Amino acid sequence: MAKVAVIEDDLPTSNQLRTWIESARPGIVVDQWFSRDDAEAAIARERYDLVVLDIELGRERHAGVAIINAINKRHGTPVLVVSAMPATIYRSIMKALDAWDYLQKATFEEADFVETFLEILRSVKEPAAASTAELSMDPLRQRTPMWRGHRINLPLTAQRILAALFEKRGQVVSYDELFEVVKSGRNRDNIRKHVSTIRDAFREIDPDFACIENVPMRGFRWADSE
């Protein structure tokens, strides 16, 4: 049975997250913690499958950062950050700390949270490895995709698009197919922006990266490097 922790100092928000989780996965065990000290004690004592946490707890503006570091030192449990801090600033910070994804409060609906939560949980419970000599996409072992031995810093939606392209490498993946793997913004401009994000992330590691090809009017294709 899966066991998750919700670390959130606001009781109504904590209860809301717990309700969404329990509705999405009946029978799941949800522990609620409201302070850094209690959360860190629980992490030292329990083995969670997933942790949902806020960055700011009480008067500690960055308590969540300390908690993520404590998690990484012990079990490497996946972390979904749900915070009021602006995503434009904190998403990259949380990804650098190996958090799996970042949702900004008041900007997402229940469906967005549930989809993200369940996808992370599935990645942990039922990992499907897909790798070549250059690209490795095993969420359980690598936590994020790896290119030539280096971690690629990508948001979860971009990871889903990358997985869809790589799964059908050599074939065109249409815009309609890619619409199925994004949570919102199901239009061509948004898909192109995600693909641009993926390419930029690869090129931070490999300036010559050119494996994702644009197929005009149709979609994109992963072409293995020569």
Side-chain angles (χ1 to χ4, degrees):
M1 183 180 296
K3 187 173 186 178
V4 304
V6 174
I7 304 170
E8 164 65 62
D9 63 335
D10 180 69
L11 181 59
T13 301
S14 178
N15 287 339
Q16 180 69 84
L17 294 174
R18 178 174 184 166
T19 298
W20 288 351
I21 291 168
E22 291 177 338
S23 296
R25 182 63 70 87
I28 197 169
V29 176
V30 181
D31 288 345
Q32 292 170 274
W33 308 108
F34 302 92
S35 70
R36 173 182 169 182
D37 288 345
D38 288 346
E40 288 185 337
I43 289 164
R45 183 176 65 247
E46 305 285 348
R47 183 66 180 263
Y48 292 109
D49 295 289
L50 195 155
V51 172
V52 179
L53 66 76
D54 193 1
I55 298 173
E56 187 172 5
L57 299 174
R59 296 181 179 180
E60 291 192 76
R61 185 172 177 82
H62 295 109
V65 173
I67 293 171
I68 292 174
N69 286 330
I71 290 171
N72 289 340
K73 288 178 182 178
R74 292 183 176 275
H75 308 303
T77 304
V79 175
L80 170 58
V81 179
V82 179
S83 173
M85 303 291 195
T88 52
I89 297 173
Y90 281 87
R91 179 184 295 277
S92 61
I93 295 173
M94 294 301 107
K95 291 297 290 184
L97 291 172
D98 282 338
W100 281 55
D101 208 348
Y102 187 99
L103 296 176
Q104 184 178 338
K105 291 179 180 178
T107 66
F108 64 90
E109 303 293 335
E110 176 182 355
D112 299 321
F113 173 84
V114 168
E115 183 177 350
T116 303
F117 176 87
L118 290 178
E119 179 147 354
I120 296 173
L121 200 59
R122 282 193 296 267
S123 296
V124 176
K125 290 295 186 181
E126 303 170 6
S131 63
T132 64
E134 293 187 310
L135 180 64
S136 176
M137 297 185 65
D138 183 342
L140 182 58
R141 289 187 297 105
Q142 307 291 5
R143 306 181 63 187
T144 54
M146 302 282 286
W147 177 251
R148 296 178 176 174
H150 297 278
R151 186 169 66 88
I152 307 166
N153 186 12
L154 287 174
L156 192 57
T157 298
Q159 290 185 43
R160 287 197 292 263
I161 291 175
L162 174 60
L165 295 174
F166 186 71
E167 182 180 3
K168 294 187 175 182
R169 52 194 179 277
Q171 305 175 44
V172 178
V173 181
S174 70
Y175 282 104
D176 286 342
E177 290 175 285
L178 294 174
F179 291 161
E180 296 300 316
V181 303
V182 300
K183 293 180 293 186
S184 60
R186 294 180 175 179
N187 58 72
R188 295 192 176 200
D189 284 343
N190 193 45
I191 295 296
R192 285 192 284 265
K193 288 177 183 177
H194 284 302
V195 171
S196 178
T197 296
I198 295 169
R199 285 171 170 155
D200 288 345
F202 273 92
R203 286 168 181 162
E204 287 181 6
I205 299 167
D206 179 5
D208 296 324
F209 175 81
C211 291
I212 298 178
E213 299 177 344
N214 178 34
V215 182
M217 305 299 294
R218 295 177 62 192
F220 296 89
R221 174 174 51 218
W222 177 280
D224 287 326
S225 57
E226 298 294 335

